[in-house]
Amino acid sequence: MSVDSGGEPSPPADSQLKRDMPLVPADSIAGRALVVVIAIMTFLACLTAGGALLIAQASQGWRADVSREVTIQIKPRSGDDIEALVSKATEVAARSPGVVDVHALSKSDSERLLEPWLGQGLDLSKLPIPRLIVVHMRAPQQADLDSLRAALANAVPQASLDDHRLWLARLDTMADVIVLFAGALFALMIVAMATAIGFATRGAMAGNREIIEVLHFVGAEDRYIARQFQTHFMRLGFRGAAIGGAAAALFFVAASLLSVLTYGSAGSEEMAALFGAFSLTGGAYLAIFVICAAIAALTGFLSRLIVFNHLRQLM
Amino acid sequence: MLSFENVGLRYGMGVEVVGDLNFSIEPQSFQFLTGPSGAGKTTILRLMLLSLRPTRGTIHIFGEDASKLDKDMITGFRRRIGVVFQDFRLLDHLTTYENVALPLRVMGRDETDYRAEVVELLDWVGLGERKNALPAVLSGGEKQRAAIARALIVRPELLLADEPTGNVDPVIAKRLLRLFVELHKSGTAIVIATHDLALMDQFGYARRLVVGDGRLAIFDAESA
């Protein structure tokens, strides 16, 4: 501007000039509350996702263990020499392809299995107690269970082969239901978080109405204003997601360490049975990072959408 | 540059706040918009700024029918208009420098490009030492000068000022008016809303648009 200042203009004091302030005020009570909400939601979402991954991993382990093992059950008829039938069935099983180990439970082992139902101190020698033979496979797909079943039917008609298919199907269903439930919980948390972001953005729009009006009057385009709000909310979202994600990662690290430290105690065995080693893989930690980044992006995207809708209604 | 034809405005089903407005603002013209408090001066300024839509009549701005402008075009026109609000409308979390530089910043210009320009203008309006001050610690007069500097920084084709010297002492008022005169000489059309007769008397060559009871009377300028 050509103005007569009546003297030399002062040189810009670059180092002292404050000029980097965002147009949407960075710190506000509503902003801090949103960071806390996002942090908590991210933490819960990561816990849910991590828990689902742990159960999925553990269920794969259960399925592999169970499907590598089949059981031969011999129900003796009167007059049968049960020991001879057991050793014959054991021989047939041992010859079958893909079988690694065959272990016949002794008579006393079989009787002990009935103790929880029949109690101790009973003489079971007169009862035709079925005998079990545990067969371990190298890999389920390498085992030819149909030919083993046919060979057993020929050699020992009293024997039946249980490949735990029913049990496996139930296990599959249970694990799938848990993972689906975790997925639904995760989706609900994202919806709740999106709703909170929506409220916060609308609140921020109302609180910064004067700023928006001034920006319009000085010639700011809607997309410029929307970008300012998007940047503001993306920062808040990233801060909240980083806090929540870091807390979740720390939780899993601590839980993994705890499971190692308490290994062998009564409770830890049940936990290990359900969750495996209770340690997430590197991929799972990457998933936590992706969830955090997605939540930050979602925060920015939603706020931009809401700001645009709001600005469209203004002149 | 700007013309009103039978323009009227009412809020909802109420009576007309302003009506039968017929006038035009020519390029490089200088006029005062005057009248008693509550007569509708600020409403007319807001109509000029396209922040209110008239309920009747037509406004033409820079050759375009304002009712047919989309938001981007309105934004484009606002960049050609400088505005000084009666209540300053400085952003409280920005420094004086940032407030004055705001119109250039929203245009997407690089800060290093306009820094010297903004600092020079701040020195001119007497805010050279207050560059980093927030509005909360500025006096009423300093806020007003910052608001004026913000309006002038884009070298607007049209300047709309609502009571621009209402909160400053006579010395600063005179200095600011010199700024408006300089701006007018460089080709900007000026509309100053005021009820300060002494101020208007200093500019005998300026046209007077007198608003009363929502109607407008025009008194052409004396020969300079």
Side-chain angles (χ1 to χ4, degrees):
Chain A
M1 171 168 286
S2 161
V3 287
D4 178 14
S5 63
E8 288 296 312
S10 306
D14 286 6
S15 57
Q16 295 160 8
L17 210 52
K18 291 179 188 164
R19 52 180 187 271
D20 301 324
M21 193 57 75
L23 294 182
V24 181
D27 269 328
S28 67
I29 294 168
R32 284 193 288 277
L34 184 64
V35 170
V36 172
V37 169
I38 291 176
I40 293 170
M41 289 300 203
T42 308
F43 176 71
L44 294 176
C46 289
L47 279 196
T48 312
L53 282 173
L54 277 177
I55 289 173
Q57 277 173 25
S59 76
Q60 274 175 3
W62 308 330
R63 290 176 218 198
D65 285 349
V66 173
S67 59
R68 268 197 293 268
E69 190 180 287
V70 294
T71 308
I72 299 168
Q73 186 181 172
I74 300 168
K75 293 176 189 160
R77 290 184 290 226
S78 76
D80 281 348
D81 178 0
I82 187 73
E83 294 301 334
L85 293 175
V86 167
S87 42
K88 200 167 181 184
T90 305
E91 277 172 33
V92 170
R95 282 199 302 270
S96 184
V99 171
V100 179
D101 180 47
V102 181
H103 169 64
L105 268 65
S106 66
K107 189 168 181 289
S108 58
D109 287 339
S110 300
E111 287 173 0
R112 206 174 300 124
L113 288 175
L114 291 173
E115 275 180 7
W117 286 272
L118 301 180
Q120 287 179 324
L122 285 175
D123 180 13
L124 303 175
S125 57
K126 299 282 188 258
L127 289 175
I129 295 171
R131 295 285 295 275
L132 300 176
I133 301 166
V134 180
V135 181
H136 288 279
M137 309 289 184
R138 190 173 291 111
Q141 60 273 23
Q142 289 174 5
D144 186 356
L145 292 181
D146 289 338
S147 61
L148 176 58
R149 192 172 278 117
L152 278 173
N154 275 336
V156 188
Q158 297 91 328
S160 62
L161 184 71
D162 180 7
D163 58 3
H164 312 305
R165 194 167 291 162
L166 190 64
W167 168 240
L168 258 182
R170 283 181 182 167
L171 210 58
D172 272 353
T173 308
M174 188 194 78
D176 289 347
V177 165
I178 291 174
V179 171
L180 266 177
F181 182 72
L185 214 58
F186 182 81
L188 276 177
M189 279 170 197
I190 296 295
V191 171
M193 189 155 43
T195 310
I197 293 164
F199 274 121
T201 309
R202 287 191 189 93
M205 296 293 292
N208 294 305
R209 191 160 54 192
E210 192 165 344
I211 293 176
I212 294 167
E213 204 173 41
V214 170
L215 289 175
H216 268 147
F217 286 142
V218 299
E221 293 172 334
D222 281 357
R223 51 185 164 271
Y224 180 88
I225 298 172
R227 199 161 55 236
Q228 304 305 312
F229 276 88
Q230 183 184 16
T231 308
H232 170 71
F233 279 101
M234 206 137 116
R235 274 195 196 126
L236 293 182
F238 193 76
R239 204 186 307 165
I243 294 168
L250 279 176
F251 173 85
F252 282 114
V253 170
S256 172
L257 285 175
L258 201 66
S259 74
V260 171
L261 290 174
T262 58
Y263 183 74
S265 68
S268 71
E269 281 180 16
E270 276 71 38
M271 290 295 278
L274 189 61
F275 295 109
F278 217 111
S279 67
L280 289 179
T281 58
Y285 285 105
L286 185 69
I288 288 177
F289 177 78
V290 170
I291 289 171
C292 295
I295 284 170
L298 176 77
T299 313
F301 171 75
L302 276 179
S303 61
R304 185 181 173 86
L305 210 65
I306 291 165
V307 171
F308 255 126
N309 278 337
H310 179 84
L311 294 177
R312 214 169 284 141
Q313 292 158 20
L314 298 176
M315 209 177 149
Chain B
M1 171 174 275
L2 183 66
S3 70
F4 279 42
E5 292 162 28
N6 297 316
V7 169
L9 176 80
R10 72 171 80 237
Y11 293 107
M13 300 299 287
V15 293
E16 275 197 329
V17 184
V18 290
D20 297 330
L21 300 177
N22 288 288
F23 66 92
S24 60
I25 305 295
E26 300 303 327
Q28 302 175 37
S29 60
F30 198 125
Q31 44 266 301
F32 288 106
L33 179 63
T34 188
S37 293
K41 298 191 293 292
T42 302
T43 301
I44 293 173
L45 283 183
R46 287 180 67 106
L47 284 166
M48 289 180 181
L49 193 58
L50 307 181
S51 76
L52 289 175
R53 278 186 199 281
T55 41
R56 67 182 172 97
T58 311
I59 298 174
H60 279 89
I61 184 164
F62 297 113
E64 300 283 345
D65 182 347
S67 65
K68 292 177 180 154
L69 298 177
D70 62 25
K71 285 201 84 174
D72 282 346
M73 289 177 83
I74 291 175
T75 301
F77 287 147
R78 280 185 179 149
R79 288 180 178 182
R80 296 161 71 180
I81 302 173
V83 58
V84 182
F85 297 100
Q86 195 172 9
D87 54 356
F88 321 126
R89 302 278 185 98
L90 298 174
L91 301 189
D92 289 337
H93 65 294
L94 300 186
T95 63
T96 309
Y97 170 83
E98 289 170 319
N99 266 295
V100 172
L102 192 61
L104 304 173
R105 182 174 171 179
V106 301
M107 283 180 197
R109 279 182 56 183
D110 197 88
E111 196 268 337
T112 50
D113 283 350
Y114 58 70
R115 192 181 306 156
E117 207 176 326
V118 176
V119 169
E120 185 188 359
L121 184 59
L122 281 170
D123 285 338
W124 168 255
V125 297
L127 291 173
E129 301 300 317
R130 307 290 271 160
K131 286 191 280 280
N132 290 325
L134 293 172
V137 298
L138 296 179
S139 68
E142 286 173 327
K143 284 181 192 171
Q144 193 145 30
R145 279 180 275 158
I148 290 170
R150 185 179 66 189
L152 301 187
I153 193 68
V154 287
R155 301 177 210 198
E157 291 171 54
L158 171 64
L159 178 79
L160 307 174
D162 198 358
E163 302 286 358
T165 56
N167 286 289
V168 292
D169 60 53
V171 178
I172 294 293
K174 204 169 175 184
R175 196 177 166 93
L176 291 176
L177 286 173
R178 260 182 73 200
L179 195 58
F180 289 137
V181 170
E182 291 287 341
L183 198 70
H184 176 226
K185 281 181 184 166
S186 71
T188 298
I190 311 272
V191 179
I192 296 177
T194 183
H195 53 248
D196 183 349
L197 285 172
L199 171 73
M200 287 187 281
D201 286 344
Q202 292 178 51
F203 296 89
Y205 59 87
R207 197 162 63 130
R208 295 187 188 185
L209 312 175
V210 183
V211 59
D213 294 331
R215 299 291 188 271
L216 194 77
I218 300 172
F219 296 90
D220 283 328
E222 300 162 9
S223 306

